[in-house]
Amino acid sequence: QKEVEQNSGPLSVPEGAIASLNCTYSDRGSQSFFWYRQYSGKSPELIMFIYSNGDKEDGRFTAQLNKASQYVSLLIRDSQPSDSATYLCALIKAAGNKLTFGGGTRVLVKP
Amino acid sequence: GAVVSQHPSRVICKSGTSVKIECRSLDFQATTMFWYRQFPKQSLMLMATSNEGSKATYEQGVEKDKFLINHASLTLSTLTVTSAHPEDSSFYICSARPAQGVWGDEQFFGPGTRLTVL
């Protein structure tokens, strides 16, 4: 089992719709969770981080964390063509400082 | 704030040469910097963790004698790919973790360096 698992996609979403991305992880002691967006040929950029169970909203993005079920999700509301990218889920394990990345989910927003 | 730069952004070299990549945190101090490699259509793979003033910690399978890392100051880390070969062609990305302040565990990524070895 991979430490961080994501559906590779592509996830095709109509413009204006909600894109829902999921990520599951195996290390129950993981403490910090991150969503990065990566455009082709570019480095990742941080969208959101979440440390506590529940929802965290930032603009059109909402991150959801459920430590009991070991999953973290990202919702993108009012999806725009510019949201077309690969979304990387990452975490830091307990007492660690390095990021462990999932394989990424490719999102395509169609006008 | 929290800007990380990398230089060069792109490099093409002949097989057998060495290439140095610089990673700088521009507006914060970073006690820890990380070096990643990303092959096409794959996710980022951590190569090593670099702490200021000490030896880097390499991930399993990464040759420390081939990928030399120096973290000489709180704002600069360098990665030198020695005797580069075509299979070393990849996208190399650094990240930096702020030493203190309002940031939690966040890491900020540089723009990456595209290395092509002929």
Side-chain angles (χ1 to χ4, degrees), chain A residues 32 38 43 49 51 97-98 102, chain B residues 38 43 59 97 105-106 110:
Chain A
S32 307
Q38 186 176 26
S43 68
F49 61 87
Y51 301 150
N97 67 348
K98 54 185 183 180
Chain B
Q38 186 175 35
S43 191
E59 295 299 300
R97 182 177 177 182
D105 291 331
E106 294 96 293

Side-chain angles (χ1 to χ4, degrees), chain A residues 6 31-32 34 36 38 40-46 49 51 88-89 92 96-104, chain B residues 32 34 36 38 41-44 46 49 51 59 91 93 95 97 103-112 114:
Chain A
Q6 295 181 255
Q31 295 293 320
S32 307
F34 305 85
Y36 286 88
Q38 186 176 26
S40 180
K42 303 294 184 182
S43 68
E45 56 179 318
L46 181 66
F49 61 87
Y51 301 150
L88 300 167
C89 172
I92 295 179
N97 67 348
K98 54 185 183 180
L99 287 168
T100 300
F101 282 91
Chain B
T32 305
F34 303 86
Y36 298 83
Q38 186 175 35
K41 299 191 184 302
Q42 294 185 24
S43 191
L44 281 74
L46 180 66
T49 301
N51 291 298
E59 295 299 300
F91 192 40
I93 310 170
S95 72
R97 182 177 177 182
W103 313 111
D105 291 331
E106 294 96 293
Q107 295 179 21
F108 298 93
F109 284 83
R114 179 78 56 191

Side-chain angles (χ1 to χ4, degrees), chain B residues 15-85:
Chain B
S15 183
T17 60
S18 294
V19 175
K20 179 186 282 189
I21 302 170
E22 292 187 350
C23 176
R24 294 182 184 273
S25 56
L26 299 185
D27 51 4
F28 64 96
Q29 293 185 328
T31 51
T32 305
M33 290 185 172
F34 303 86
W35 287 95
Y36 298 83
R37 180 167 53 180
Q38 186 175 35
F39 292 107
K41 299 191 184 302
Q42 294 185 24
S43 191
L44 281 74
M45 294 299 297
L46 180 66
M47 299 175 67
T49 301
S50 167
N51 291 298
E52 185 265 338
S54 63
K55 291 184 178 180
T57 301
Y58 291 82
E59 295 299 300
Q60 190 173 8
V62 178
E63 300 174 57
K64 62 180 181 180
D65 294 330
K66 180 170 182 63
F67 299 99
L68 302 179
I69 292 173
N70 183 280
H71 193 157
S73 76
L74 287 172
T75 59
L76 173 64
S77 177
T78 61
L79 168 68
T80 301
V81 183
T82 62
S83 187
H85 288 94

Side-chain angles (χ1 to χ4, degrees), chain A residues 18-32:
Chain A
I18 296 175
S20 177
L21 293 78
N22 294 313
C23 171
T24 59
Y25 59 95
S26 59
D27 183 344
R28 187 171 288 276
S30 300
Q31 295 293 320
S32 307

